[in-house]
Each structure stands twice: as C-alpha cells, then as structure tokens.
Amino acid sequence: VRRYDLVIVGGGAGGCATAHMFSRKMGRGRVAIIEPADVHYYQPLWTLVGGGIKKIEQSGKPMGSVLPQGCEWIKEKCVEFDPDNSSVTTESGQLIRYQFLVVAVGLQLNYHLIKGLPEAFDIDPMLCSNYMSKYVVKTRPAMEAFKEGNAIFTFPNTPIKCAGAPQKIMYLTEHYFRKVNFRHNLIEVRPEKKEAIFQHLDTLETKVFPYEMMHIVPPMSTPKELWDTPLVDSTGYVTVNRETLQHTKYPNVFGIGDNTNIPTSKTAAAVASQTGVLLKNLCSVIAGKEANIEKYDGYTSCPLVTAPGKCVMAEFDWDGQPLETFPFDQSKERRTMYHFKQDIFPELYWSLLIRGRWHGPALIRKALHLGMSR
Ligand code: FAD
Ligand code: UQ1
C-alpha cells in the first residue's frame, strides 16, 4: 500500500496544474498523480489542427515533460474510488491511500454509442472529428476533398467540452455549409451508403441524410471508472460545491475541470479560474480550516474562431452573463482575438496554466475596467 498526503487522479489541464501547485507547497514525494496517457494534449489547438492551420504535433508534449518533478507519477488508470476509506485502486491492483484527493479525469468520448462508430472512421475518409487526436487529422483532408453535397456537423445530446468547437469547425468549412437541423441527434453512420441516421429528440422520428462529409462530435460522459462511486450524482458527475470546489459529501475530496457537476460551460479557460480557487481552499482544508477562502464565479470562455484570422472572444459565467476581459466590444470578430487563440493561449497554457500559475483573467479584467467589473 502506498500513501500520499495528496493524490490527484487525471493529469490533464486541471490535474497537471494541481500537481504543480501542491508539490511546490508540500514538497517532494508527498503528492502523487495517477495518469495513464503518454502524451498531454492542448486540446483547444485541435480546432486549428482540424482547420489545417496547425499540425497535430504542435498540440502535444510528452506527459513526463509536463508533470512536476517533485510529484510521483503513477502511470496507470485509476479504476476504483473508495472515498469512505480514503483510497483509490489502479488497474494493476495497487491500493493507494490519501489524506486528500483531487478528481480531474475530464470527459470520456462515447463514439461507440453511435451505431457504426468508431469503425466507420477507418472506412470513410470523409468522416472526421476534432475531439480526438486520431480523427482530427482527417478534418482538413475531408474539407479539401469535398466537392458537393451535404456537409453535416453534429452536436450530441449530452454536455460536452468546449461547446463552441462544433460550430467553429463548421465556420471553418463555411462555404460548403448548406442547412442546420437543430434537435437532431446522430445515432448511426452507414459509411458504405454514405448515410447518416438522425433521431429527433422530441418526436423520436428518425431521418436519413446523405452526407458527403461529416464532422462528428461524440456523446460525452465522465469516465466510466467514476460511475457507481459515492463521488458522483446520478448523471456521473463529481458533486462539488460550485463555489468552493470541495466535494459535497467528503470534505477531504475536491474536484476540478470537466468531470465536475459545476453548471458552467466546460473549458480550459474555466479550469484556469478554478485552479486559483482550488489552491486557496484546499490549502485551508489541509491546515484544518474551512474551504471558504475563495469563491469560483462560474467564469468560462470560448474563443469562437469564425474564419482563419477571425475570432469572437466569448467570456461569460454560469448564468450566461458576459464577463469580458477587454474594454472593447467583444461581440465583434477580431484579428487580435484570433491572435490570442492561435498564439497567446497555447503559450499561456504550456508555460503557466498547467504549472498552476495562470488563474484566469479576473485580475486583468478588473484592472482594464478600472475596478468597475465583477
Ligand atoms: P482533460 O484535460 O481532458 O484531462 C483529463 C485527464 O484525465 C486525461 O489526461 C486523461 O488521460 C485522464 N484520465 C481519464 N480517465 C482516467 C482514469 N480513470 N484514471 C486516471 N486518469 C484518467 N477549452 C478552452 O478553454 N478554449 C478552447 O478554445 C477550447 N477548445 C477545445 C476544442 C476541442 C476540439 C476540444 C476537444 C476541447 C477544447 N477545449 C477548449 C476544452 C478543454 O480542452 C477542456 O475543457 C480541458 O482540457 C479540461 O481539462 P480537464 O483537466 O478537466 O480534463
Ligand atoms: C484562457 O485563459 C485560456 O487559457 C490559457 C484559454 O486557453 C484554453 C482560452 O481559450 C481563454 C479564452 C482564456 C481566457 C483568457 C482571456 C485573456 C480572454
């Protein structure tokens, strides 16, 4: 049995930032991170990889090079959560005990819930999806090979990460774009006939659409290892206090990022703001005090790339109220905002966010609004 003061499950945006913040504070050997992946991807770049503007290699770094040195990396999947005994178990059966736990396993992509997938991706070059490294590289070639017919862009019937991404790729394929059918859920792909079967969410009627190309956004859920644990609600999301990030039943457990039930749009920008809150509140709990030092305000953001070189920077909270950083009209398409998306955010992500040193733009927003903003 291994024991750590703090165990973090998941080494994506939220988990990696948490590992850095707390191994700095707690010292060498006290923090462990459980993460099976070899590569850490900056997923927001995939919109531009799909659009043919960046290369897939530019979106990833070896996991070992981004996780902190002072933290123990357990390169495995976590398969059991036992919060009543403050322990987790890895795939090889290692039991790991903790005093404090941070859950940051992100979202699972459920392509398999669409009949014919994922196999159809290997059969038809005109099927693509910006949500996975293996399929995002198919998007640009599909656009180029597209001649005429229907280009279909799907949006699933579940919460998803970066809800703006399905439309960004549609804008980037804009001239081929014909017609949008809302409330239609993709349930089957027949690559041999180039047919997509959709079900209407209200009438449950099914409709067959011929497609020439199709960008698929899969249904998403939390990773299955979390289901049926006491950490999650009936929909599988980790139940945390939306302001403090502390678990609602287990005070020594916190959650961050896409896998939580915080009612805000799931983005890395949201994760950045949450890291600052997690740092203060978990430190307070470790010191034997309450988790009420800082409150998350629901900040999230989605740079909507509308064309190469153009971007609308949408920033809002969990009520959909704008929380804009810059003192100009952000609802306009701007080249400067595109520059943030393409060049500044990737840099900010690798050099600060995943090292726990970028807690979102709140301070900049307040300064630029002369203290008049929330
Ligand atoms: P992730 O970063 O997904 O990390 C989860 C980690 O948990 C992974 O490393 C995974 O291997 C690991 N894991 C999973 N299961 C287990 C397990 N059982 N045991 C151990 N480890 C496990 N955000 C923005 O802010 N702006 C954007 O423009 C933007 N665009 C996007 C475009 C696309 C195409 C995509 C896919 C995402 C985009 N996002 C964007 C969203 C952003 O990438 C996510 O919100 C962010 O990565 C969430 O961080 P996370 O730590 O919660 O999860
Ligand atoms: C952000 O902080 C961030 O993290 C580096 C992103 O990358 C994933 C973003 O896409 C956005 C929009 C932000 C928010 C920051 C500003 C300055 C608008």
Side-chain angles (χ1 to χ4, degrees):
V1 180
R2 294 159 83 168
R3 284 167 211 277
Y4 297 93
D5 292 350
L6 173 64
V7 168
I8 299 152
V9 187
C16 185
T18 304
H20 277 268
M21 293 189 297
F22 285 91
S23 41
R24 277 198 294 273
K25 283 234 168 260
M26 299 166 106
R28 195 165 270 279
R30 306 221 161 248
V31 181
I33 189 161
I34 307 177
E35 166 62 68
D38 295 310
V39 181
H40 181 117
Y41 283 106
Y42 175 60
Q43 302 164 41
L45 209 72
W46 290 348
T47 294
L48 302 183
V49 174
I53 298 163
K54 294 267 180 171
K55 294 209 157 35
I56 184 73
E57 299 79 41
Q58 292 172 284
S59 70
K61 297 194 180 181
M63 189 62 76
S65 75
V66 299
L67 295 178
Q69 294 291 317
C71 161
E72 195 106 6
W73 177 20
I74 300 166
K75 193 179 175 311
E76 277 200 68
K77 197 185 258 187
C78 178
V79 293
E80 266 175 55
F81 294 83
D82 184 1
D84 290 310
N85 293 303
S86 291
S87 71
V88 293
T89 309
T90 65
E91 203 163 22
S92 73
Q94 282 196 75
L95 183 71
I96 296 164
R97 291 193 186 283
Y98 57 79
Q99 277 183 15
F100 301 95
L101 177 73
V102 174
V103 188
V105 289
L107 291 181
Q108 171 177 300
L109 304 172
N110 295 322
Y111 289 104
H112 65 277
L113 294 182
I114 298 166
K115 195 172 167 203
L117 294 187
E119 295 77 15
F121 279 115
D122 298 326
I123 298 170
D124 188 346
M126 298 302 269
L127 291 173
C128 55
S129 178
N130 286 1
Y131 276 80
M132 199 163 145
S133 57
K134 194 171 161 201
Y135 308 134
V136 60
V137 294
K138 299 182 68 190
T139 304
R140 175 65 191 216
M143 270 186 211
E144 285 174 3
F146 183 94
K147 289 194 190 67
E148 56 181 358
N150 290 337
I152 299 179
F153 297 83
T154 77
F155 195 107
N157 181 30
T158 66
I160 67 168
K161 49 183 152 183
C162 198
Q167 23 170 332
K168 300 177 210 179
I169 193 59
M170 180 175 75
Y171 297 135
L172 287 172
T173 322
E174 189 185 11
H175 8 291
Y176 308 125
F177 167 68
R178 295 278 176 93
K179 175 165 124 191
V180 184
N181 285 273
F182 287 115
R183 296 203 61 73
H184 280 68
N185 193 33
L186 179 67
I187 58 167
E188 184 177 351
V189 182
R190 298 177 186 150
E192 310 79 21
K193 296 194 200 151
K194 299 202 68 97
E195 285 176 352
I197 320 304
F198 286 82
Q199 183 171 45
H200 194 281
L201 290 172
D202 305 320
T203 64
L204 303 182
E205 253 176 84
T206 57
K207 269 197 208 167
V208 181
F209 289 89
Y211 70 84
E212 172 65 20
M213 95 170 245
M214 180 157 59
H215 178 268
I216 298 167
V217 180
M220 297 179 205
S221 66
T222 54
K224 63 176 188 310
E225 293 77 22
L226 274 178
W227 309 349
D228 303 321
T229 73
L231 293 173
V232 300
D233 62 17
S234 60
T235 62
Y237 286 85
V238 181
T239 53
V240 297
N241 178 302
R242 62 155 96 172
E243 292 186 320
T244 66
L245 309 187
Q246 187 177 37
H247 196 272
T248 52
K249 284 193 236 146
Y250 300 95
N252 65 334
V253 177
F254 283 69
I256 189 168
D258 292 353
N259 67 12
T260 67
N261 70 341
I262 298 173
T264 202
S265 198
K266 299 183 183 303
T267 65
V271 170
S273 297
Q274 292 167 18
T275 57
V277 177
L278 178 70
L279 175 62
K280 296 227 169 96
N281 290 345
L282 179 50
C283 277
S284 178
V285 170
I286 292 171
K289 291 180 264 178
E290 300 279 302
N292 58 1
I293 308 297
E294 193 145 310
K295 288 186 172 159
Y296 179 49
D297 58 6
Y299 175 84
T300 188
S301 164
C302 191
L304 288 161
V305 175
T306 51
K310 282 192 196 167
C311 178
V312 172
M313 188 62 70
E315 295 178 275
F316 46 97
D317 66 9
W318 39 39
D319 299 317
Q321 293 305 309
L323 261 183
E324 298 183 340
T325 303
F326 304 99
F328 48 68
D329 181 4
Q330 281 185 222
S331 67
K332 278 174 56 177
E333 293 173 305
R334 288 176 192 273
R335 183 165 283 278
T336 45
M337 293 296 102
Y338 181 82
H339 176 55
F340 269 84
K341 165 77 189 172
Q342 181 183 285
D343 307 306
I344 297 179
F345 291 150
E347 192 49 44
L348 203 55
Y349 182 87
W350 293 117
S351 58
L352 297 177
L353 195 159
I354 55 167
R355 296 188 181 154
R357 296 189 191 276
W358 168 244
H359 300 169
L363 291 175
I364 301 173
R365 178 177 75 237
K366 285 176 186 148
L368 291 178
H369 289 83
L370 306 171
M372 309 279 278
S373 168
R374 285 191 286 151

